[in-house]
Short mmCIF file of all heavy atoms in Angstrom, two decimals:
data_model
loop_
_atom_site.label_atom_id
_atom_site.label_comp_id
_atom_site.label_asym_id
_atom_site.label_seq_id
_atom_site.Cartn_x
_atom_site.Cartn_y
_atom_site.Cartn_z
N TYR A 1 0.85 -1.19 0.00
CA TYR A 1 0.00 0.00 0.00
C TYR A 1 0.88 1.24 0.00
O TYR A 1 1.85 1.30 0.76
CB TYR A 1 -0.93 0.03 1.23
CG TYR A 1 -1.87 1.20 1.16
CD1 TYR A 1 -2.97 1.16 0.29
CD2 TYR A 1 -1.63 2.35 1.87
CE1 TYR A 1 -3.80 2.25 0.17
CE2 TYR A 1 -2.46 3.45 1.76
CZ TYR A 1 -3.54 3.38 0.91
OH TYR A 1 -4.36 4.47 0.78
N PRO A 2 0.57 2.23 -0.82
CA PRO A 2 1.41 3.42 -0.89
C PRO A 2 1.23 4.30 0.34
O PRO A 2 0.73 5.42 0.27
CB PRO A 2 0.92 4.12 -2.16
CG PRO A 2 -0.51 3.69 -2.30
CD PRO A 2 -0.54 2.26 -1.81
N PHE A 3 1.62 3.76 1.50
CA PHE A 3 1.52 4.52 2.75
C PHE A 3 2.40 5.75 2.68
O PHE A 3 3.49 5.72 2.13
CB PHE A 3 1.97 3.64 3.93
CG PHE A 3 2.20 4.43 5.19
CD1 PHE A 3 1.14 4.73 6.02
CD2 PHE A 3 3.46 4.89 5.50
CE1 PHE A 3 1.34 5.48 7.16
CE2 PHE A 3 3.67 5.64 6.65
CZ PHE A 3 2.61 5.92 7.48
N CYS A 4 1.92 6.80 3.27
CA CYS A 4 2.77 7.98 3.38
C CYS A 4 2.37 8.79 4.59
O CYS A 4 1.24 8.73 5.05
CB CYS A 4 2.66 8.86 2.13
SG CYS A 4 1.04 9.60 1.89
N THR A 5 3.34 9.50 5.13
CA THR A 5 3.05 10.49 6.15
C THR A 5 3.02 11.83 5.43
O THR A 5 4.03 12.27 4.88
CB THR A 5 4.13 10.50 7.25
OG1 THR A 5 4.10 9.23 7.89
CG2 THR A 5 3.83 11.58 8.27
N ILE A 6 1.84 12.44 5.37
CA ILE A 6 1.68 13.68 4.62
C ILE A 6 2.53 14.78 5.23
O ILE A 6 3.19 15.55 4.53
CB ILE A 6 0.18 14.08 4.59
CG1 ILE A 6 -0.64 12.95 3.95
CG2 ILE A 6 -0.03 15.38 3.83
CD1 ILE A 6 -2.13 13.11 4.11
N ASP A 7 2.51 14.89 6.53
CA ASP A 7 3.44 15.74 7.27
C ASP A 7 3.48 15.11 8.66
O ASP A 7 2.86 14.07 8.88
CB ASP A 7 3.01 17.22 7.26
CG ASP A 7 1.70 17.48 7.99
OD1 ASP A 7 1.39 16.75 8.97
OD2 ASP A 7 0.99 18.42 7.61
N PRO A 8 4.23 15.67 9.61
CA PRO A 8 4.35 14.99 10.90
C PRO A 8 3.04 14.69 11.60
O PRO A 8 2.99 13.85 12.49
CB PRO A 8 5.20 15.98 11.72
CG PRO A 8 6.03 16.67 10.70
CD PRO A 8 5.13 16.83 9.51
N ASN A 9 1.96 15.37 11.22
CA ASN A 9 0.69 15.18 11.90
C ASN A 9 -0.40 14.56 11.03
O ASN A 9 -1.57 14.57 11.40
CB ASN A 9 0.19 16.52 12.45
CG ASN A 9 1.14 17.11 13.47
OD1 ASN A 9 1.62 16.40 14.34
ND2 ASN A 9 1.44 18.39 13.34
N LYS A 10 -0.03 14.03 9.88
CA LYS A 10 -1.03 13.42 9.00
C LYS A 10 -0.48 12.13 8.42
O LYS A 10 0.70 12.05 8.07
CB LYS A 10 -1.41 14.38 7.86
CG LYS A 10 -2.04 15.68 8.32
CD LYS A 10 -2.36 16.58 7.14
CE LYS A 10 -2.84 17.95 7.61
NZ LYS A 10 -3.10 18.87 6.46
N GLY A 11 -1.33 11.13 8.31
CA GLY A 11 -0.91 9.87 7.72
C GLY A 11 -2.05 9.18 7.01
O GLY A 11 -3.22 9.50 7.24
N VAL A 12 -1.73 8.27 6.11
CA VAL A 12 -2.72 7.48 5.39
C VAL A 12 -2.66 6.06 5.94
O VAL A 12 -1.63 5.40 5.86
CB VAL A 12 -2.43 7.48 3.88
CG1 VAL A 12 -3.50 6.68 3.13
CG2 VAL A 12 -2.36 8.90 3.34
N ILE A 13 -3.77 5.61 6.52
CA ILE A 13 -3.79 4.35 7.25
C ILE A 13 -4.64 3.32 6.51
O ILE A 13 -5.81 3.58 6.21
CB ILE A 13 -4.36 4.54 8.67
CG1 ILE A 13 -3.75 5.77 9.35
CG2 ILE A 13 -4.13 3.28 9.50
CD1 ILE A 13 -2.26 5.75 9.49
N PRO A 14 -4.09 2.14 6.18
CA PRO A 14 -4.88 1.11 5.50
C PRO A 14 -5.96 0.52 6.39
O PRO A 14 -5.78 0.41 7.61
CB PRO A 14 -3.83 0.05 5.13
CG PRO A 14 -2.73 0.24 6.11
CD PRO A 14 -2.70 1.70 6.43
N VAL A 15 -7.08 0.16 5.78
CA VAL A 15 -8.17 -0.53 6.47
C VAL A 15 -7.94 -2.02 6.32
O VAL A 15 -8.07 -2.57 5.22
CB VAL A 15 -9.55 -0.14 5.88
CG1 VAL A 15 -10.67 -0.86 6.62
CG2 VAL A 15 -9.75 1.38 5.96
N ARG A 16 -7.56 -2.68 7.41
CA ARG A 16 -7.27 -4.12 7.35
C ARG A 16 -8.53 -4.90 7.01
O ARG A 16 -9.55 -4.77 7.68
CB ARG A 16 -6.72 -4.59 8.69
CG ARG A 16 -5.54 -3.77 9.21
CD ARG A 16 -4.29 -4.03 8.41
NE ARG A 16 -3.19 -3.18 8.87
CZ ARG A 16 -1.98 -3.21 8.38
NH1 ARG A 16 -1.68 -4.03 7.40
NH2 ARG A 16 -1.04 -2.41 8.84
N ASP A 17 -8.47 -5.71 5.97
CA ASP A 17 -9.64 -6.46 5.52
C ASP A 17 -9.18 -7.83 5.04
O ASP A 17 -8.52 -7.96 4.00
CB ASP A 17 -10.33 -5.72 4.37
CG ASP A 17 -11.72 -6.26 4.06
OD1 ASP A 17 -11.92 -7.48 4.22
OD2 ASP A 17 -12.58 -5.48 3.64
N SER A 18 -9.51 -8.86 5.82
CA SER A 18 -9.03 -10.22 5.52
C SER A 18 -9.57 -10.74 4.19
O SER A 18 -9.00 -11.67 3.61
CB SER A 18 -9.44 -11.17 6.65
OG SER A 18 -10.85 -11.23 6.79
N ARG A 19 -10.64 -10.14 3.68
CA ARG A 19 -11.21 -10.61 2.42
C ARG A 19 -10.26 -10.39 1.25
O ARG A 19 -10.30 -11.13 0.26
CB ARG A 19 -12.55 -9.92 2.16
CG ARG A 19 -13.63 -10.27 3.18
CD ARG A 19 -14.89 -9.46 3.00
NE ARG A 19 -14.66 -8.03 3.22
CZ ARG A 19 -15.63 -7.12 3.23
NH1 ARG A 19 -16.90 -7.51 3.06
NH2 ARG A 19 -15.36 -5.84 3.43
N LEU A 20 -9.39 -9.39 1.36
CA LEU A 20 -8.41 -9.15 0.29
C LEU A 20 -7.46 -10.33 0.13
O LEU A 20 -7.17 -10.77 -0.99
CB LEU A 20 -7.63 -7.87 0.58
CG LEU A 20 -8.37 -6.55 0.37
CD1 LEU A 20 -7.63 -5.41 1.05
CD2 LEU A 20 -8.54 -6.27 -1.11
N LYS A 21 -6.97 -10.86 1.25
CA LYS A 21 -6.07 -12.02 1.19
C LYS A 21 -6.81 -13.25 0.66
O LYS A 21 -6.23 -14.05 -0.07
CB LYS A 21 -5.49 -12.30 2.57
CG LYS A 21 -4.44 -11.28 3.03
CD LYS A 21 -3.80 -11.71 4.34
CE LYS A 21 -2.71 -10.73 4.75
NZ LYS A 21 -2.07 -11.12 6.04
N THR A 22 -8.07 -13.37 1.04
CA THR A 22 -8.87 -14.50 0.55
C THR A 22 -9.00 -14.44 -0.97
O THR A 22 -8.81 -15.45 -1.66
CB THR A 22 -10.26 -14.50 1.19
OG1 THR A 22 -10.13 -14.58 2.61
CG2 THR A 22 -11.09 -15.67 0.68
N ILE A 23 -9.30 -13.25 -1.50
CA ILE A 23 -9.42 -13.10 -2.95
C ILE A 23 -8.11 -13.45 -3.63
O ILE A 23 -8.08 -14.16 -4.65
CB ILE A 23 -9.84 -11.66 -3.30
CG1 ILE A 23 -11.26 -11.38 -2.79
CG2 ILE A 23 -9.80 -11.45 -4.82
CD1 ILE A 23 -11.67 -9.92 -2.89
N GLN A 24 -6.98 -13.00 -3.08
CA GLN A 24 -5.70 -13.24 -3.73
C GLN A 24 -5.30 -14.71 -3.73
O GLN A 24 -4.49 -15.14 -4.55
CB GLN A 24 -4.59 -12.40 -3.09
CG GLN A 24 -3.40 -12.25 -4.03
CD GLN A 24 -2.21 -11.57 -3.40
OE1 GLN A 24 -1.98 -11.70 -2.21
NE2 GLN A 24 -1.46 -10.85 -4.21
N GLN A 25 -5.87 -15.49 -2.84
CA GLN A 25 -5.61 -16.92 -2.85
C GLN A 25 -6.11 -17.58 -4.14
O GLN A 25 -5.57 -18.59 -4.59
CB GLN A 25 -6.28 -17.60 -1.66
CG GLN A 25 -5.65 -17.26 -0.32
CD GLN A 25 -6.41 -17.89 0.84
OE1 GLN A 25 -7.27 -18.75 0.64
NE2 GLN A 25 -6.13 -17.44 2.05
N TYR A 26 -7.13 -16.98 -4.74
CA TYR A 26 -7.76 -17.57 -5.93
C TYR A 26 -7.52 -16.75 -7.19
O TYR A 26 -7.57 -17.28 -8.30
CB TYR A 26 -9.27 -17.74 -5.68
CG TYR A 26 -9.57 -18.59 -4.49
CD1 TYR A 26 -9.86 -18.02 -3.25
CD2 TYR A 26 -9.55 -19.99 -4.58
CE1 TYR A 26 -10.13 -18.80 -2.14
CE2 TYR A 26 -9.83 -20.78 -3.48
CZ TYR A 26 -10.11 -20.18 -2.25
OH TYR A 26 -10.37 -20.97 -1.16
N VAL A 27 -7.31 -15.44 -7.03
CA VAL A 27 -7.00 -14.57 -8.17
C VAL A 27 -5.61 -14.01 -7.93
O VAL A 27 -5.44 -13.03 -7.22
CB VAL A 27 -8.03 -13.42 -8.31
CG1 VAL A 27 -7.73 -12.58 -9.55
CG2 VAL A 27 -9.45 -13.97 -8.38
N HIS A 28 -4.61 -14.67 -8.48
CA HIS A 28 -3.22 -14.32 -8.17
C HIS A 28 -2.82 -13.03 -8.91
O HIS A 28 -2.87 -12.96 -10.13
CB HIS A 28 -2.29 -15.47 -8.56
CG HIS A 28 -2.65 -16.76 -7.90
ND1 HIS A 28 -2.55 -16.93 -6.53
CD2 HIS A 28 -3.15 -17.92 -8.39
CE1 HIS A 28 -2.94 -18.16 -6.22
NE2 HIS A 28 -3.31 -18.78 -7.32
N THR A 29 -2.46 -12.03 -8.12
CA THR A 29 -2.13 -10.73 -8.69
C THR A 29 -0.81 -10.23 -8.11
O THR A 29 -0.27 -10.79 -7.15
CB THR A 29 -3.23 -9.70 -8.37
OG1 THR A 29 -3.31 -9.56 -6.95
CG2 THR A 29 -4.57 -10.15 -8.91
N LEU A 30 -0.30 -9.15 -8.69
CA LEU A 30 0.98 -8.61 -8.26
C LEU A 30 0.86 -7.83 -6.95
O LEU A 30 1.78 -7.82 -6.13
CB LEU A 30 1.56 -7.67 -9.34
CG LEU A 30 1.88 -8.33 -10.68
CD1 LEU A 30 2.33 -7.27 -11.69
CD2 LEU A 30 2.96 -9.40 -10.51
N ARG A 31 -0.29 -7.14 -6.76
CA ARG A 31 -0.43 -6.25 -5.61
C ARG A 31 -1.78 -6.44 -4.93
O ARG A 31 -2.76 -6.84 -5.57
CB ARG A 31 -0.33 -4.77 -6.04
CG ARG A 31 1.01 -4.37 -6.63
CD ARG A 31 1.03 -2.88 -6.94
NE ARG A 31 -0.02 -2.49 -7.87
CZ ARG A 31 0.10 -2.55 -9.20
NH1 ARG A 31 1.21 -2.99 -9.73
NH2 ARG A 31 -0.91 -2.17 -9.98
N VAL A 32 -1.79 -6.12 -3.64
CA VAL A 32 -3.03 -6.06 -2.88
C VAL A 32 -3.12 -4.65 -2.30
O VAL A 32 -2.22 -4.21 -1.58
CB VAL A 32 -3.07 -7.08 -1.73
CG1 VAL A 32 -4.34 -6.90 -0.90
CG2 VAL A 32 -3.00 -8.50 -2.28
N ILE A 33 -4.17 -3.93 -2.67
CA ILE A 33 -4.30 -2.54 -2.22
C ILE A 33 -5.58 -2.39 -1.39
O ILE A 33 -6.69 -2.47 -1.93
CB ILE A 33 -4.34 -1.56 -3.41
CG1 ILE A 33 -3.06 -1.73 -4.25
CG2 ILE A 33 -4.47 -0.12 -2.92
CD1 ILE A 33 -2.98 -0.81 -5.44
N PRO A 34 -5.42 -2.17 -0.09
CA PRO A 34 -6.61 -2.00 0.76
C PRO A 34 -7.20 -0.60 0.64
O PRO A 34 -6.59 0.30 0.06
CB PRO A 34 -6.06 -2.24 2.17
CG PRO A 34 -4.63 -1.77 2.08
CD PRO A 34 -4.17 -2.10 0.68
N ALA A 35 -8.37 -0.43 1.20
CA ALA A 35 -8.93 0.91 1.36
C ALA A 35 -8.10 1.65 2.40
O ALA A 35 -7.27 1.05 3.10
CB ALA A 35 -10.39 0.82 1.79
N ALA A 36 -8.31 2.95 2.53
CA ALA A 36 -7.51 3.73 3.46
C ALA A 36 -8.30 4.90 4.01
O ALA A 36 -9.29 5.34 3.42
CB ALA A 36 -6.24 4.24 2.78
N VAL A 37 -7.85 5.38 5.16
CA VAL A 37 -8.42 6.57 5.79
C VAL A 37 -7.28 7.53 6.13
O VAL A 37 -6.24 7.11 6.64
CB VAL A 37 -9.18 6.21 7.09
CG1 VAL A 37 -9.72 7.46 7.77
CG2 VAL A 37 -10.32 5.23 6.80
N ASP A 38 -7.46 8.80 5.82
CA ASP A 38 -6.49 9.82 6.24
C ASP A 38 -6.72 10.13 7.72
O ASP A 38 -7.85 10.42 8.12
CB ASP A 38 -6.66 11.11 5.44
CG ASP A 38 -6.30 10.95 3.97
OD1 ASP A 38 -5.78 9.89 3.60
OD2 ASP A 38 -6.53 11.90 3.21
N ILE A 39 -5.65 10.05 8.50
CA ILE A 39 -5.75 10.34 9.93
C ILE A 39 -4.92 11.57 10.25
O ILE A 39 -3.75 11.66 9.86
CB ILE A 39 -5.26 9.15 10.78
CG1 ILE A 39 -6.13 7.90 10.52
CG2 ILE A 39 -5.30 9.50 12.27
CD1 ILE A 39 -7.56 8.01 10.98
N TRP A 40 -5.52 12.51 10.97
CA TRP A 40 -4.83 13.73 11.40
C TRP A 40 -4.66 13.71 12.91
O TRP A 40 -5.60 13.38 13.64
CB TRP A 40 -5.65 14.98 11.05
CG TRP A 40 -5.87 15.25 9.60
CD1 TRP A 40 -5.96 14.34 8.58
CD2 TRP A 40 -6.07 16.53 9.00
NE1 TRP A 40 -6.20 14.99 7.39
CE2 TRP A 40 -6.28 16.33 7.62
CE3 TRP A 40 -6.11 17.83 9.51
CZ2 TRP A 40 -6.50 17.38 6.74
CZ3 TRP A 40 -6.33 18.88 8.64
CH2 TRP A 40 -6.53 18.66 7.26
N ASP A 41 -3.47 14.05 13.37
CA ASP A 41 -3.25 14.28 14.78
C ASP A 41 -3.50 15.76 15.02
O ASP A 41 -2.65 16.61 14.77
CB ASP A 41 -1.81 13.89 15.15
CG ASP A 41 -1.55 13.98 16.65
OD1 ASP A 41 -2.52 14.15 17.41
OD2 ASP A 41 -0.37 13.89 17.06
N ILE A 42 -4.72 16.08 15.46
CA ILE A 42 -5.14 17.47 15.58
C ILE A 42 -4.37 18.19 16.69
O ILE A 42 -4.10 17.61 17.74
CB ILE A 42 -6.66 17.55 15.87
CG1 ILE A 42 -7.47 16.85 14.76
CG2 ILE A 42 -7.11 19.00 16.03
CD1 ILE A 42 -7.48 17.55 13.45
N ALA A 43 -4.05 19.45 16.45
CA ALA A 43 -3.33 20.25 17.44
C ALA A 43 -4.02 20.18 18.79
O ALA A 43 -5.24 20.12 18.89
CB ALA A 43 -3.26 21.71 16.97
N GLY A 44 -3.21 20.20 19.87
CA GLY A 44 -3.75 20.09 21.22
C GLY A 44 -4.73 21.21 21.55
O GLY A 44 -4.67 22.30 21.01
N LEU A 45 -5.63 20.91 22.47
CA LEU A 45 -6.67 21.87 22.83
C LEU A 45 -6.54 22.30 24.28
O LEU A 45 -6.18 21.50 25.15
CB LEU A 45 -8.06 21.24 22.62
CG LEU A 45 -9.24 22.08 23.08
CD1 LEU A 45 -10.35 22.07 22.05
CD2 LEU A 45 -9.78 21.56 24.42
N VAL A 46 -6.83 23.55 24.52
CA VAL A 46 -6.93 24.07 25.89
C VAL A 46 -8.27 24.78 26.02
O VAL A 46 -8.91 25.11 25.03
CB VAL A 46 -5.79 25.06 26.22
CG1 VAL A 46 -4.44 24.38 26.16
CG2 VAL A 46 -5.83 26.27 25.27
#
């Protein structure tokens, strides 16, 4: 998965899904690419 840290407070996190591995057992491919969610570490609050 093309994971990246956008900056020190942002990242792209894959959604772990066992069905992807199951599919690849029967449809042999070069890559497995999961869905993803952008996660932000929001600035602290007072």
Side-chain angles (χ1 to χ4, degrees):
Y1 185 76
F3 167 84
C4 66
T5 297
I6 301 169
D7 65 31
N9 298 315
K10 298 179 186 178
V12 182
I13 314 301
V15 180
R16 308 288 177 179
D17 193 327
S18 61
R19 295 173 296 186
L20 286 164
K21 288 186 177 180
T22 301
I23 294 171
Q24 200 187 32
Q25 290 176 12
Y26 302 97
V27 183
H28 303 294
T29 62
L30 297 176
R31 297 184 302 274
V32 176
I33 302 181
V37 178
D38 292 353
I39 299 293
W40 296 30
D41 185 10
I42 302 290
L45 174 136
V46 297

